[in-house]
Amino acid sequence: NAGVTQTPKFRILKIGQSMTLQCTQDMNHNYMYWYRQDPGMGLKLIYYSVGAGITDKGEVPNGYNVSRSTTEDFPLRLELAAPSQTSVYFCASSRRTSGGPGSEQFFGPGTRLTVL
Amino acid sequence: QKEVEQNSGPLSVPEGAIASLNCTYSDRGSQSFFWYRQYSGKSPELIMSIYSNGDKEDGRFTAQLNKASQYVSLLIRDSQPSDSATYLCAPVGNQFYFGTGTSLTVIP
């Protein structure tokens, strides 16, 4: 049971380039999330998904896109990278939401992205 | 008003002391409360969950919840240098909020 895995671990992009951050979970969780964390700051929700085919925006969705074609995978797409997108990106998943046992989120190891 | 308020610290305690971390939240609908530990350069790791008023103990960790005061805390007894990390509070209701975290340093 690998939990939540993310690739790549590190990436340097030039301004205007695009890339996809991969996220996979093997816990059969319905709910998946993408966060970004800037240095010394908290986690900000970018997008989340409540199941295959269903996604919704979080607090900071501009400049990003997501898709959820399977329960396991939730890739995050960056289009036209900008220096403001330099951050650490975490993917997370949970069995349920709205409180109660099972709503705790489990995190992947993160992707450290630098845009120059 | 921020959804979750935590003292950002840094909080420094000597090895063996009790570290007390506090969190207040604004969503009265929050039903679950989680504490995550995040080491520098690593991802958040769940260390405690609490769902009802009162105390919950797990080893050296005790979570305390007071829903009427919208307050949750984490006590770490016999603090160790390995406890040095940032601790994130996360109340869960209709949405999942994370606090910005309290940085804890345990001094040997």
Side-chain angles (χ1 to χ4, degrees):
Chain A
N1 191 336
V4 181
T5 57
Q6 292 182 240
T7 57
K9 287 185 171 57
F10 304 92
R11 184 71 185 269
I12 297 175
L13 284 181
K14 294 182 179 179
I15 294 172
Q17 288 185 322
S18 300
M19 76 165 293
T20 299
L21 282 65
Q22 301 292 343
C23 175
T24 300
Q25 54 92 8
D26 63 0
M27 296 176 282
N28 201 31
H29 285 170
N30 284 326
Y31 299 89
M32 296 188 74
Y33 315 83
W34 274 105
Y35 293 92
R36 60 176 287 173
Q37 187 175 39
D38 298 331
M41 303 296 286
L43 295 161
K44 293 187 177 180
L45 183 64
I46 305 171
Y47 271 96
Y48 66 98
S49 171
V50 302
I54 306 170
T55 63
D56 207 347
K57 297 178 181 179
E59 181 184 0
V60 289
N62 291 342
Y64 307 95
N65 275 301
V66 294
S67 60
R68 183 98 181 269
S69 57
T70 66
T71 299
E72 295 78 19
D73 300 307
F74 190 38
L76 177 71
R77 178 80 177 165
L78 277 72
E79 304 283 0
L80 298 175
S84 61
Q85 293 178 304
T86 294
S87 190
V88 180
Y89 291 84
F90 291 108
C91 179
S93 73
S94 65
R95 180 164 55 86
R96 54 175 288 187
T97 186
S98 299
S103 57
E104 58 272 26
Q105 294 185 12
F106 296 92
F107 286 80
T111 294
R112 189 174 299 273
L113 176 68
T114 301
V115 181
L116 300 175
Chain B
Q1 181 184 0
K2 290 184 181 178
E3 291 85 1
V4 184
E5 296 268 9
Q6 289 186 258
N7 185 337
S8 62
L11 173 66
S12 295
V13 300
E15 183 174 355
I18 295 175
S20 177
L21 307 165
N22 305 313
C23 172
T24 57
Y25 59 94
S26 60
D27 182 3
R28 286 194 171 273
S30 297
Q31 296 297 318
S32 305
F33 304 85
F34 303 111
W35 281 99
Y36 286 80
R37 176 177 61 201
Q38 187 175 22
Y39 291 115
S40 181
K42 301 295 185 181
S43 59
E45 170 193 16
L46 180 70
I47 56 171
M48 284 289 286
S49 58
I50 185 166
Y51 306 108
S52 57
N53 279 331
D55 296 358
K56 178 182 178 182
E57 186 174 319
D58 184 359
R60 295 187 296 111
F61 298 96
T62 298
Q64 299 175 319
L65 173 61
N66 184 327
K67 290 185 180 180
S69 300
Q70 295 177 253
Y71 176 89
V72 58
S73 66
L74 180 70
L75 300 178
I76 306 175
R77 292 182 300 281
D78 188 25
S79 295
Q80 300 297 309
S82 60
D83 295 326
S84 297
T86 297
Y87 290 81
L88 307 173
C89 166
V92 180
N94 291 323
Q95 296 188 50
F96 205 113
Y97 298 104
F98 283 94
T100 54
T102 298
S103 174
L104 171 67
T105 299
V106 180
I107 303 168

